[in-house]
Amino acid sequence: MSTAAARHQRLHAELRSRICLLDYPPGTRLSETALADEFGTSRTPLRRVLARLEDEGLVESRHGVGTLVTDVDLARMEQVYGLRLHLAELVGHLDPAPVTAEVLAGIAGYVARGTALVASPDARSFAQLNMDYHGFGLSLTDNLPLRSTAERLYFLTARIWLQSIPRMDLASECAIFLSEMQDTAAALATGDTQAAAAIRRTHIAMSVTRMAR
Amino acid sequence: MSTAAARHQRLHAELRSRICLLDYPPGTRLSETALADEFGTSRTPLRRVLARLEDEGLVESRHGVGTLVTDVDLARMEQVYGLRLHLAELVGHLDPAPVTAEVLAGIAGYVARGTALVASPDARSFAQLNMDYHGFGLSLTDNLPLRSTAERLYFLTARIWLQSIPRMDLASECAIFLSEMQDTAAALATGDTQAAAAIRRTHIAMSVTRMAR
DNA sequence: GCAGTCAGAGTTGTACACAACAGTCTAGCT
DNA sequence: AGCTAGACTGTTGTGTACAACTCTGACTGC
C-alpha cells in the first residue's frame, strides 16, 4: 500500500476521532496551516482529508472564514437514527459473518472493558469504547457496503451522546451499555448473529429515547 | 451558494454521468490535465472532484499511472444490490413524502418518456431514463441520509445494466421498465408510497436475476 | 539472439505562492 | 457621538512548478 494513501487514512481517522470525542466541539475553527504543521505535511494533502470530512458532513469549509466543525442536534439527526436502526438490523441478515473464536475473544474483551468502565465511569472512556464497539459490531457482517454505510452514519451521530450526557446519569448509562455487551456475548456464544444484531438495534433505539428526554 | 461549490457539483455530476453511461468504460485512464483543460480550470479543483469520485468507488488514482475508472462485475456488486433492495423498501417506510400534484405530474412524465422509449428502444436512452427515474424514486422520501446513501449505492451499480444489455433483450427490458412505471403511477395515484417502494424493490430484484443469466 | 539496464515520457502527489473573500478594527468625517 | 469607508488580518480557493513514481522501449553488452 502506498504510504500516501495510508497517511490519508491515518489523518482522516484521527481528525474524525477528535471531532466525535468533542476535542473539537461543534463550531470550532480548524486551521489548515496549523493542522498541516502538526502532522508534518503541507496544506495540500491535509485539504484532501478535510474535503472528505466535508463530504461526510463532519466539517464545513467556508471561503474566507475557515473550516468549521458542523453543529448537530438530536432533532436534525433523527432521520439518521431512523436509518441506522434498520441498518443495524440488516447486519444480522445480510452476509452475516461466521462466529469464529476470534469474534468470541473480541466480545469477551469488550465485556471486560465494559466492566472496567462500570467500575470507574467516565464519559470520554464511554464514548471511546462505544466507538470501538461499533466497529466490532460491523465486523459481524461480510457485506462491505453495509459496513461502510453504517460506519459513515455512525460517525455522523456519535457526538450526540457526549453532548447529551450532562443531562443523563453516567453510571446508569455505563451499566446499560455493559448489559448490552453481555447479552450480545450470550447471543454470539450460540452463534446467533441475528439476535446480536437485534440487540444492537434495540439498544440504539432505547439510547435515542433516553437522550431525547 | 458559492460558485466554487456549484462548479464542484456540476463537474462531479458530469463525470459521474459519463462513467455510468460508459462514455468512460471501466479501465479508462482519465487525464487530470486534459479534464482540467476541458472544463477551463486548473488541476487543483478537478482533483477535488476526482478525490470524491474515488471515495465513492467510481475511480481509482494510482501514483505514476493515472486515474482509472474502476472495474465492476455483478459478482462483486451483489452485496451492494442486497443492501439496495432494503433501502428501496425503506423509502416507503422512512419519512415518506406526501404525494403532491407535482409528484403525480412527475411520474406521468416518466411514463410518457417510457412509452417513447418502448416505441424506439435504445440502450443509452434507457440508462439515462433509469438514472433520472431513480432520482425521482428517491424524492418519495424526505429522509435525507436515506436519499444520499441510496444515491451513492445506485451510481455504484448503474453501469452493470449497460454492460449486461448485449446479452439481454433490449425491447423486452424497455417494456418491463415501462410496466414498472405504470404500476408505480397507479400506486401513487392512490397515495400509496409504500406500494410504490415495494414495486421498486421487486423490480430491482428481478432486474438482477435477469442480468445474472 | 537475448537479457538486462537505463533513459525518457507521462502520470499523480506535494509544496508553495498568490488570488479571492469575510470579518474586524480604526481613523476620519459629519 | 455616531457612522461610514477603508485598510488590515486571517482564512480558504486556485494556479503552477517540481518531486515521486510507473511503464515502455530502445540500446548495449554478452
Side-chain angles (χ1 to χ4, degrees):
Chain A
M1 170 65 71
S2 128
T3 61
R7 175 176 64 180
H8 174 79
Q9 284 294 333
R10 244 196 17 249
L11 294 192
H12 174 74
E14 174 63 27
L15 289 181
R16 188 178 60 176
S17 177
R18 291 185 187 180
I19 291 172
C20 291
L21 292 180
L22 298 189
D23 293 332
Y24 299 145
T28 305
R29 263 211 338 246
L30 302 181
S31 167
E32 295 183 353
T33 56
L35 287 176
D37 198 46
E38 175 189 347
F39 293 116
T41 178
S42 83
R43 280 181 59 209
T44 308
L46 192 111
R47 278 177 62 77
R48 170 76 175 84
V49 175
L50 289 180
R52 183 171 164 195
L53 290 173
E54 184 166 18
D55 290 338
E56 293 171 344
L58 295 180
V59 303
E60 178 192 357
S61 290
R62 277 196 282 190
H63 192 182
V65 178
T67 304
L68 309 174
V69 176
T70 55
D71 205 342
V72 292
D73 59 303
L74 185 60
R76 281 192 62 78
M77 284 297 123
E78 259 166 9
Q79 292 191 333
V80 184
Y81 273 112
L83 184 50
R84 281 192 58 202
L85 288 184
H86 286 90
L87 293 182
E89 184 94 40
L90 280 181
V91 168
H93 293 78
L94 234 45
D95 305 299
V99 179
T100 63
E102 201 176 352
V103 171
L104 293 176
I107 184 65
Y110 282 108
V111 169
R113 287 177 66 182
T115 307
L117 180 67
V118 169
S120 66
D122 171 64
R124 191 192 168 88
S125 300
F126 184 113
Q128 180 70 56
L129 180 57
N130 194 19
M131 197 179 293
D132 296 344
Y133 184 64
H134 182 265
F136 168 77
L138 256 42
S139 74
L140 296 181
T141 178
D142 285 334
N143 191 302
L144 267 46
L146 174 56
R147 279 196 201 181
S148 60
T149 300
E151 180 176 308
R152 186 188 188 85
L153 296 176
Y154 167 77
F155 283 103
L156 212 49
T157 59
R159 291 173 281 171
I160 295 182
W161 186 89
L162 261 176
Q163 281 183 331
S164 307
I165 190 59
R167 301 192 309 273
M168 300 164 72
D169 181 18
L170 178 58
S172 166
E173 288 295 316
C174 292
I176 292 173
F177 187 22
L178 174 59
S179 170
E180 179 202 356
M181 294 193 284
Q182 288 170 331
D183 291 349
T184 302
L188 290 180
T190 69
D192 193 346
T193 57
Q194 278 192 28
I199 291 170
R200 186 94 185 104
R201 184 216 163 103
T202 59
H203 177 79
I204 296 173
M206 292 190 300
S207 171
V208 170
T209 62
R210 288 198 306 276
M211 285 190 294
R213 251 182 306 163
Chain B
M1 171 65 73
S2 126
T3 61
R7 175 176 64 180
H8 174 79
Q9 284 295 332
R10 245 195 17 248
L11 294 192
H12 174 74
E14 174 64 26
L15 289 182
R16 187 177 61 175
S17 177
R18 291 185 187 179
I19 291 171
C20 291
L21 292 179
L22 298 189
D23 293 334
Y24 298 145
T28 304
R29 262 209 342 243
L30 302 181
S31 168
E32 295 184 353
T33 56
L35 288 176
D37 198 46
E38 175 188 347
F39 293 116
T41 177
S42 84
R43 279 181 59 209
T44 308
L46 193 112
R47 278 176 62 77
R48 170 75 174 84
V49 175
L50 289 181
R52 184 170 164 196
L53 290 173
E54 183 167 19
D55 289 338
E56 293 170 344
L58 295 180
V59 303
E60 178 192 358
S61 289
R62 277 196 283 192
H63 192 183
V65 178
T67 304
L68 309 173
V69 176
T70 55
D71 205 340
V72 291
D73 59 304
L74 185 61
R76 281 192 60 78
M77 285 297 125
E78 259 166 9
Q79 292 190 333
V80 183
Y81 273 113
L83 184 50
R84 281 192 59 201
L85 287 184
H86 286 90
L87 293 182
E89 184 94 39
L90 280 181
V91 168
H93 292 78
L94 234 45
D95 305 298
V99 180
T100 63
E102 200 175 353
V103 171
L104 293 177
I107 184 64
Y110 282 108
V111 169
R113 288 177 64 183
T115 307
L117 180 67
V118 169
S120 66
D122 171 65
R124 191 192 167 87
S125 301
F126 184 113
Q128 181 70 57
L129 180 57
N130 195 19
M131 197 179 292
D132 297 343
Y133 185 64
H134 182 265
F136 169 77
L138 255 43
S139 74
L140 296 181
T141 178
D142 286 334
N143 192 302
L144 267 46
L146 174 56
R147 278 196 203 181
S148 61
T149 300
E151 179 175 309
R152 187 189 188 86
L153 296 175
Y154 167 77
F155 283 104
L156 212 49
T157 58
R159 292 173 281 172
I160 295 181
W161 185 89
L162 261 176
Q163 281 184 330
S164 306
I165 190 60
R167 302 191 309 273
M168 301 164 71
D169 181 18
L170 177 58
S172 166
E173 289 295 315
C174 292
I176 292 173
F177 187 23
L178 174 59
S179 169
E180 179 203 357
M181 294 193 284
Q182 289 170 332
D183 292 348
T184 302
L188 290 180
T190 69
D192 193 345
T193 56
Q194 278 192 27
I199 291 169
R200 185 96 184 102
R201 183 216 165 104
T202 59
H203 178 79
I204 296 173
M206 291 190 301
S207 171
V208 170
T209 61
R210 289 198 305 275
M211 285 190 293
R213 249 180 306 164

